[in-house]
Amino acid sequence: MKPTHIEHLGIAVRNLEESIRYFEDVLGLECYNIEEVKDQKVRTAFFKVGETKLELLESTDPEGPIGKFVEKKGEGIHHIAFAVEDTKAALENAEKKGVQLIDKAPRKGAENLNIGFLHPKSTHGVLTEFCCK
Ligand code: ZN
């Protein structure tokens, strides 16, 4: 049940293009994919840092989850995603241990991964995602 690695860090930004420029020009990373995830009301941009990715999230709707997050807290780290072998099993295991789930069952996220979120109230304030291929 142990995660194999940190799959990605989710970072909420106000402006995707401006943020991409920072990560490319200053950190020398390369954006390899931009994708809209309609049901999450976000546009995402991906960078690889070794085995781990950075996922920049720009809201497409002020009422969406990232829109509300940026309004309340500003830009910054939004969630941490752990790579697991089986998202469904990882969610069930967390629930069995008393963790509040946001997703009772896996759903499709960016890059066609099977993802599921744990509620930050149960995870010491860190919005936590499990994902698998
Ligand atoms: Zn994510």
Side-chain angles (χ1 to χ4, degrees):
M1 198 51 270
K2 201 167 91 172
T4 54
H5 61 282
I6 292 175
E7 213 282 335
H8 63 270
L9 293 174
I11 301 172
V13 302
R14 288 187 197 279
N15 180 302
L16 204 60
E17 277 64 35
E18 256 177 46
S19 311
I20 288 170
R21 216 172 308 134
Y22 161 75
F23 284 95
E24 291 194 330
D25 291 352
V26 178
L27 295 184
L29 300 173
E30 190 188 339
C31 176
Y32 69 91
N33 185 24
I34 295 180
E35 185 182 339
E36 183 163 354
V37 185
K38 286 224 157 82
D39 74 314
Q40 287 298 296
K41 300 185 165 98
V42 290
R43 283 203 309 138
T44 61
F46 285 92
F47 302 84
K48 284 193 179 117
V49 189
E51 207 178 349
T52 300
K53 299 167 193 161
L54 300 179
E55 174 187 47
L56 306 185
L57 302 146
E58 176 200 67
S59 184
T60 55
D61 179 344
E63 293 306 309
I66 296 299
K68 285 184 183 157
F69 177 89
V70 170
E71 184 58 37
K72 215 160 92 183
K73 300 188 172 171
E75 295 184 301
I77 291 182
H78 176 260
H79 67 272
I80 180 166
F82 293 103
V84 294
E85 293 205 338
D86 180 342
T87 299
K88 185 168 182 280
L91 290 172
E92 284 169 1
N93 176 62
E95 186 170 42
K96 211 163 55 195
K97 294 186 173 167
V99 169
Q100 192 185 331
L101 306 183
I102 293 175
D103 297 303
K104 293 267 178 199
R107 57 188 167 87
K108 285 288 176 189
E111 301 198 304
N112 208 32
L113 293 173
N114 296 300
I115 66 164
F117 281 93
L118 307 181
H119 200 288
K121 273 184 196 153
S122 296
T123 60
H124 305 273
V126 179
L127 178 58
T128 298
E129 175 182 355
F130 291 133
C131 52
C132 71
K133 287 197 176 130

